[in-house]
Amino acid sequence: MKVKHLITIILMTPLVAFAEASTCYGTTSNGRLSHGVKLPSEGKNFVTYSTMARLAGRTYVHSEVRSIIVAAYKDIEAEQPDKVYKYAETGFEEGGEFKPHKTHRNGLSVDFTTPVKDKSGKSVHLPTTPFNKLGYNIEFDANSQYDGLYIDYEAMAAHVVALHKQAKKHGHDLWRVIFDPKLKPNLFKTKYGEYLKTNVQFSKRASWVRHDDHYHVDFDIPCK
């Protein structure tokens, strides 16, 4: 084979072909990650919570988690074409301590920004700026409202279901979903309620940080 042709093949071969699968170690609260991969900055129906945070290396996950997340967004694109989503903090490329989070240490923990609707009912992104700590300083009231925005429980429920179904397709599962216990019952009032009750494990206790502006998902993938 001529050198010129060999170089052409190398340049045209997708980089993903050379990527190694991730390996997680330990637990979400005491672990690390090998060969972590970064989530895409955006897709047709999703975006990252912060370009700067992404560039700072705060959106790495296990390779299987990335595949599940991207596939789930694709599924929702067909089922809920008018909904938009945003993901938040995940972890570092090699895992380990990830302040201010107590978990997110082995590539299996992902925060997703709570989907919202404006007053007209249109699906919009929750604002994530340095002024509200990239969304983590937002507080929804008892009516699921914040500054003219309302939690879109239908969109959120559809997303959790899509994540669970894709996790199962990939031979894995969801370990748990953490969301504000006082707001969580609203998810079960959606058309996805029965599926969620039957298949998804939600944390029953309030976390040390209120999970209303985001929902935390831990994926159940074997680690060493």
Side-chain angles (χ1 to χ4, degrees):
M1 181 181 293
K2 293 183 178 180
V3 174
K4 181 179 179 180
H5 291 165
L6 179 59
I7 293 175
T8 300
I9 292 174
I10 292 175
L11 291 176
M12 294 182 66
T13 301
L15 292 177
V16 69
F18 297 99
E20 292 187 53
S22 301
T23 301
C24 53
Y25 299 85
T27 65
T28 57
S29 59
N30 184 21
R32 60 186 178 87
L33 180 65
S34 175
H35 303 296
V37 295
K38 188 180 289 188
L39 286 174
S41 60
E42 62 180 350
K44 287 187 177 181
N45 60 349
F46 72 91
V47 296
T48 183
Y49 71 123
S50 167
T51 298
M52 290 302 296
R54 185 173 182 274
L55 292 174
R58 298 183 68 86
T59 59
Y60 280 88
V61 294
H62 190 289
S63 55
E64 284 291 278
V65 170
R66 183 188 191 280
S67 296
I68 291 168
I69 289 174
V70 172
Y73 280 137
K74 187 68 176 179
D75 289 344
I76 299 175
E77 186 184 328
E79 184 179 345
Q80 300 275 357
D82 297 325
K83 303 297 184 183
V84 295
Y85 295 87
K86 180 183 289 189
Y87 67 82
E89 303 263 63
T90 62
F92 293 128
E93 185 174 6
E94 297 181 353
E97 188 175 16
F98 190 63
K99 293 181 179 181
H101 306 269
K102 290 186 177 181
T103 57
H104 293 256
R105 299 191 180 194
N106 67 349
L108 304 186
S109 301
V110 179
D111 285 348
F112 295 97
T113 301
T114 302
V116 292
K117 298 181 291 186
D118 63 16
K119 292 180 180 179
S120 70
K122 180 183 177 181
S123 178
V124 296
H125 290 300
L126 191 68
T128 51
T129 72
F131 300 105
N132 59 24
K133 293 186 178 179
L134 301 181
Y136 283 91
N137 202 36
I138 287 174
E139 292 284 339
F140 285 92
D141 63 21
N143 295 316
S144 306
Q145 188 268 151
Y146 164 77
D147 196 26
L149 300 175
Y150 300 82
I151 295 178
D152 190 342
Y153 289 104
E154 201 77 19
M156 179 179 167
H159 184 221
V160 175
V161 169
L163 288 171
H164 180 264
K165 289 183 175 180
Q166 278 298 332
K168 299 298 286 186
K169 284 184 179 180
H170 284 74
H172 305 300
D173 205 341
L174 302 185
W175 170 33
R176 64 177 177 179
V177 175
I178 302 176
F179 187 57
D180 188 313
K182 293 182 179 180
L183 299 177
K184 181 176 62 179
N186 293 300
L187 289 170
F188 302 137
K189 297 176 183 178
T190 69
K191 67 179 181 180
Y192 304 97
E194 286 305 313
Y195 185 97
L196 293 175
K197 290 180 182 179
T198 303
N199 297 281
V200 179
Q201 178 66 45
F202 284 84
S203 179
K204 296 179 180 180
R205 296 184 299 175
S207 177
W208 68 288
V209 172
R210 187 186 179 203
H211 287 67
D212 60 328
D213 45 47
H214 72 282
Y215 45 109
H216 172 111
V217 178
D218 285 317
F219 293 82
D220 187 2
I221 295 173
C223 293
K224 293 186 176 181

